[in-house]
Amino acid sequence: LGRSHDVFVTYSYSKEKGDMHNIDAKKDSTLVYDLRTFRPSDIAYPDWNNKSWDGVSDTLFVTHMLSAGVRFNPLEQLHILAGSSYAKFKSHYVENATRANGSLYNEDTLTEQKHFTPYLGITFDVTPNQSLYASYTSIFKPQLEYKDAGGNDLPPVIGTNYEIGWKSAWNNKRLNTAVALFQIDQKNRAVYGGDDGMGNGYYINTGRVVSRGLDAEISGNLTDNWKLFAGYTYNDSKYRNDDEDYQAGQRYSQHTPRSIFRLYTNYRLPGAAHRWSIGAGMNVQSRTGNLHDQPNLKQGGYTLWHADVQYAPTDRIRLSLIGNNLSNKRYFENN
């Protein structure tokens, strides 16, 4: 069509090995800790001579991935991106352990999974500095740590990811803005199914979670001496079907805040003080909860303030003094 187009082909390979020695020792189950006054020194150490499990395990994960795609430009303002990837995932797990009664436990499991992932995107340049886009891709995540009632690996988590957005450049392309709406639909999530009658729990792949949200960001230079970054993310994720612990419509990942706002600005002083710059910023997040079995572990929203001073004695050297959480706000990390 008299235009340039792009084609790409990539191959990636990864290999991960892990070795672990796992000991389960009995402890005093009557001990209760108050999260508000807890100190690490309060922990009662287990009795390592009274072991219920002593095992050594080795894991090997190998992934091969082949990807190919094209960026087709039928019009000067219109661009179509289409591609796909083929992944082959192998897991080898070996464990040898001794139970509390002296009996031995041995496991040697080799698992392979394959998946084809498509991608489709389209962008339209409204102006040289304004673009609209939409994209679609599928999701694939192995969950080999879960077994079904027959002792087989659960199928991978699959799903779809949709996104539409607007990107723009301002101030002679020194300032960028972006807004995006997204929806992520995950299926086949592991749900506890019960006990197989031999003391082993099993899982079924009926879990479904849908996340919808908004991303907005501005970054770059307002002037030659003034830099700005601001970003806001809203994510509302919910269960879409019932299981033993959750009900459809209940919030998923309660320890993740629904709203996060980040702001940072830096200003380089003019004139003879041009080697000095000052910066300030803030991180704001909404309230969070915790797991269903710990309903009282909740945390309100909070704001952290930051500031810094920088001095550049030469064009190649910069010295910085950075202060984080200047108001000494006490909060708990979300895990």
Side-chain angles (χ1 to χ4, degrees):
L1 301 179
R3 302 184 185 279
S4 298
H5 311 280
D6 302 301
V7 177
F8 71 87
V9 178
T10 64
Y11 167 76
S12 63
Y13 167 81
S14 67
K15 180 179 180 180
E16 179 182 347
K17 297 178 66 177
D19 303 305
M20 181 173 68
H21 187 186
N22 183 28
I23 298 177
D24 290 346
K26 295 183 178 180
K27 60 181 180 180
D28 186 351
S29 60
T30 63
L31 294 176
V32 178
Y33 301 107
D34 187 337
L35 180 64
R36 294 163 295 185
T37 60
F38 173 77
R39 296 293 182 270
S41 58
D42 298 337
I43 298 176
Y45 281 87
D47 182 2
W48 297 111
N49 295 319
N50 190 8
K51 295 179 290 187
S52 59
W53 184 274
D54 190 344
V56 176
S57 60
D58 300 315
T59 57
L60 174 65
F61 300 98
V62 178
T63 303
H64 301 267
M65 180 174 290
L66 180 64
S67 302
V70 60
R71 186 174 187 267
F72 183 60
N73 308 304
L75 301 174
E76 183 178 354
Q77 299 90 358
L78 183 64
H79 315 283
I80 299 174
L81 297 88
S84 63
S85 62
Y86 175 78
K88 181 178 180 181
F89 181 86
K90 181 175 73 172
S91 170
H92 190 194
Y93 180 80
V94 178
E95 183 173 10
N96 298 287
T98 303
R99 300 185 178 94
N101 59 8
S103 61
L104 301 179
Y105 172 85
N106 304 103
E107 181 180 349
D108 191 333
T109 304
L110 178 62
T111 304
E112 290 188 357
Q113 293 183 352
K114 304 173 183 178
H115 190 72
F116 175 79
T117 304
Y119 172 83
L120 179 64
I122 183 171
T123 66
F124 182 76
D125 301 329
V126 182
T127 70
N129 296 325
Q130 311 281 328
S131 295
L132 301 175
Y133 73 91
S135 67
Y136 157 84
T137 188
S138 64
I139 297 170
F140 165 71
K141 181 181 179 182
Q143 44 184 357
L144 303 177
E145 65 272 27
Y146 300 110
K147 307 291 182 182
D148 62 17
N152 303 309
D153 295 315
L154 281 189
V157 174
I158 60 173
T160 52
N161 185 353
Y162 303 93
E163 184 175 330
I164 59 173
W166 164 66
K167 293 185 178 181
S168 58
W170 312 86
N171 196 16
N172 293 324
K173 297 184 178 182
R174 295 188 300 170
L175 184 67
N176 298 305
T177 59
V179 178
L181 299 173
F182 62 86
Q183 174 172 312
I184 303 171
D185 191 343
Q186 291 186 349
K187 303 176 182 178
N188 279 358
R189 294 182 60 89
V191 174
Y192 184 71
D195 192 289
D196 61 3
M198 301 179 63
N200 300 316
Y202 68 90
Y203 294 82
I204 53 179
N205 60 318
T206 59
R208 182 187 175 197
V209 172
V210 174
S211 300
R212 296 188 178 100
L214 163 74
D215 267 321
E217 182 177 300
I218 179 172
S219 62
N221 286 66
L222 296 173
T223 68
D224 291 338
N225 296 327
W226 188 9
K227 296 180 180 180
L228 174 70
F229 168 83
Y232 173 75
T233 299
Y234 175 80
N235 182 15
D236 184 26
S237 55
K238 295 181 178 179
Y239 292 93
R240 283 296 183 261
N241 49 13
D242 298 336
D243 62 48
E244 183 184 43
D245 299 319
Y246 302 99
Q247 295 180 347
Q250 186 174 347
R251 184 180 171 189
Y252 170 75
S253 187
Q254 297 186 39
H255 61 276
T256 302
R258 274 199 178 101
S259 296
I260 298 177
F261 175 73
R262 300 175 302 276
L263 171 67
Y264 176 76
T265 183
N266 180 274
Y267 182 73
R268 186 176 63 184
L269 301 182
H274 70 280
R275 294 194 177 275
W276 289 89
S277 62
I278 55 176
M282 61 189 298
N283 290 4
V284 184
Q285 74 166 52
S286 60
R287 64 183 180 89
T288 56
N290 210 292
L291 301 179
H292 61 93
D293 58 348
Q294 297 172 323
N296 295 323
L297 293 183
K298 298 179 180 179
Q299 179 169 240
Y302 61 86
T303 300
L304 303 180
W305 296 91
H306 317 290
D308 64 85
V309 178
Q310 301 180 27
Y311 174 68
T314 71
D315 294 338
R316 297 178 179 271
I317 298 176
R318 177 174 296 177
L319 305 177
S320 301
L321 177 63
I322 303 172
N324 292 319
N325 191 11
L326 296 179
S327 62
N328 198 26
K329 179 71 175 180
R330 178 168 178 163
Y331 62 97
F332 295 98
E333 292 285 352
N334 298 314
N335 293 313

